[in-house]
Amino acid sequence: MTLIGRIREGLSRTKQQIADRFEELVRAADEPERRSRPIDVETIDALEELLITADVGVAATGRIIAAVRTRAREGRSLRDLVKQEIRDVFAAVDRPVTVEHHPKVTLIVGVNGTGKTTTVGKLANRLKSDGAQPLICAADTFRAAAVEQLAIWANRAGVEMVRAREGADPAAVVFDAISSGKAKGRDPILVDTAGRLHTRVNLMNELEKIRRIAAREVEGAPQEVLLVLDATVGQNGVAQAREFMGVAGVNGIVLTKLDGTAKGGVAVAIAHDLKLPIRYVGVGEAIDDLVPFDADEYVDGLFEEKW
C-alpha cells in the first residue's frame, strides 16, 4: 500500500465518527440556492460540534469556523473551505530541519507508554529504506528492560545499536554513540531517551545534559528533537507537549496510534496550538507502520467524499 493509503487507512476510525454527518452538512450547504447566502447558524453549530468531536481542539476549531463564516460568500464548497483552512494550519508550521554539521543527532523524547521506543526502531527502518545509515543509541538506562526492547527493534530494522549497562549515565552512552557514528560513517544518530514527566526533575536535568553532550560533539546538535505523542489521549497529548517544549527544545512531533483512535483530528490541534510540525505518524504495529506526515493526504483522507 502507498504512503497515501497508509495515512488514509490510519484515519479510518476518525472518518467513521464524522463522515456521515460532515457529508450531510456539505450537501445542505452546497445546494445551489444556498451557495450565495451566508452559512446558517445551525450548519455552523453542527460543524463546530463535529470538529470538536474529532478532537481538532477549541482554538483550531474556532479558526476554521471563523474562516468558513468569512469566506462562505465566495461560493466555494463547504468541504473545500474546511480542507483549505486546515491545510493552512499545517503549512504555517511546516519548516525543514537544518543540518549543517554531521552526523545529525535526533533525540526521541516523551512520556512512557506513547510508543517511544518502538518509534525509534520504526524510524530507523524508515530511514534505512530511504538510503540512510542510521545508528540507534540506547540512552534509556532508567527503565528496566528498555535496552533489550530497543535491541529487538534494532535487529528487526537491521541497524546497529550502541548500548550500555542498565543504570549507566545516559549522556555517556550518547557520547559513545556519536563517536561510533563518526568513526563508522553512520548518520543519523537516533537517541532513545528515558520516558519522563516534567515533574521528574532528575530526568529533565538528564535530558539537558544529553543535549549539552551532543552539542559539544557535533556543532548544532541535536538538530532534531522529536516528541512522541499518543493520538488516543487526544488533548492530553497537547498538554504533555507544552511541558516538554521549553526543556527539551522540541522541534517536531511523532503522532503514534493514529489507527487506534476516532480523534485523529488532534493532529490539527497540535499544529495549531503548539506551532510544531508533525514529522511522522504511526498507523499500526508493524515495523513499516511509521510514515512521513503529509498534510494534503491527511486532509483529503479525513474529509474525502463518500459518494
Side-chain angles (χ1 to χ4, degrees):
M1 185 180 293
T2 64
L3 293 184
I4 294 174
R6 304 305 301 280
I7 293 174
R8 292 192 178 194
E9 182 184 43
L11 287 167
S12 61
R13 291 195 180 188
T14 306
K15 286 189 293 186
Q16 289 171 11
Q17 180 84 356
I18 69 174
D20 289 340
R21 184 58 179 138
F22 186 68
E23 205 68 33
E24 290 174 8
L25 294 177
V26 168
R27 285 174 174 269
D30 290 352
E31 291 175 356
E33 65 274 13
R34 299 178 64 179
R35 275 290 189 96
S36 60
R37 302 202 307 267
I39 296 178
D40 60 73
V41 174
E42 182 180 347
T43 299
I44 289 290
D45 288 347
L47 176 60
E48 183 175 30
E49 180 182 352
L50 182 145
L51 293 172
I52 293 293
T53 298
D55 227 25
V56 168
V58 174
T61 294
R63 168 177 169 163
I64 295 166
I65 293 297
V68 168
R69 289 182 189 274
T70 301
R71 300 163 68 182
R73 288 183 181 272
E74 298 174 6
R76 295 172 60 189
S77 161
L78 177 62
R79 186 193 311 278
D80 290 342
L81 285 171
V82 172
K83 288 170 66 173
Q84 185 58 55
E85 195 60 29
I86 293 177
R87 285 193 184 98
D88 289 347
V89 169
F90 289 124
V93 299
D94 184 19
R95 48 188 178 271
V97 175
T98 301
V99 182
E100 297 181 354
H101 302 276
H102 290 267
K104 175 185 175 183
V105 178
T106 297
L107 302 188
I108 315 296
V109 303
V111 302
N112 286 329
T114 58
K116 183 172 54 61
T117 297
T118 57
T119 293
V120 176
K122 292 177 180 180
L123 180 56
N125 181 72
R126 168 67 54 191
L127 294 171
K128 183 182 177 183
S129 69
D130 290 340
Q133 292 184 299
L135 175 68
I136 292 176
C137 171
D140 181 359
T141 62
F142 181 78
R143 181 169 61 90
V147 175
E148 287 71 18
Q149 180 188 3
L150 187 60
I152 293 172
W153 281 99
N155 184 61
R156 289 177 185 171
V159 172
E160 292 183 50
M161 185 179 86
V162 172
R163 60 188 294 171
R165 71 183 186 281
E166 185 178 325
D169 181 2
V173 186
V174 172
F175 172 83
D176 289 344
I178 293 175
S179 299
S180 177
K182 288 178 177 179
K184 297 179 179 181
R186 301 292 184 263
D187 191 1
I189 312 297
L190 305 178
V191 182
D192 182 30
T193 65
R196 64 199 75 218
L197 295 171
H198 68 285
T199 53
R200 299 295 296 271
V201 176
N202 60 323
L203 289 177
M204 283 299 185
N205 290 340
E206 173 190 285
L207 187 56
E208 180 56 34
K209 183 178 179 181
I210 288 173
R211 289 172 53 84
R212 289 199 308 270
I213 293 296
R216 189 185 71 189
E217 297 306 308
V218 181
E219 186 177 347
Q223 298 93 331
E224 187 170 48
V225 181
L226 296 175
L227 174 63
V228 180
L229 295 178
D230 180 345
T232 65
V233 304
Q235 294 300 307
N236 287 334
V238 178
Q240 285 177 14
R242 292 188 190 281
E243 304 296 348
F244 275 87
M245 288 171 64
V247 176
V250 174
N251 59 4
I253 299 292
V254 178
L255 190 61
T256 63
K257 308 177 189 177
L258 188 66
D259 60 311
T261 181
K263 296 182 177 292
V266 72
V268 185
I270 289 168
H272 181 273
D273 295 1
L274 303 177
K275 304 298 185 287
L276 287 172
I278 298 173
R279 303 293 187 195
Y280 299 91
V281 291
V283 293
E285 298 297 324
I287 195 167
D288 61 349
D289 284 341
L290 184 76
V291 299
F293 180 73
D294 184 296
D296 286 336
E297 299 306 334
Y298 170 87
V299 174
D300 287 343
L302 197 57
F303 297 107
E304 66 183 348
E305 293 187 50
K306 288 191 65 179
W307 301 289

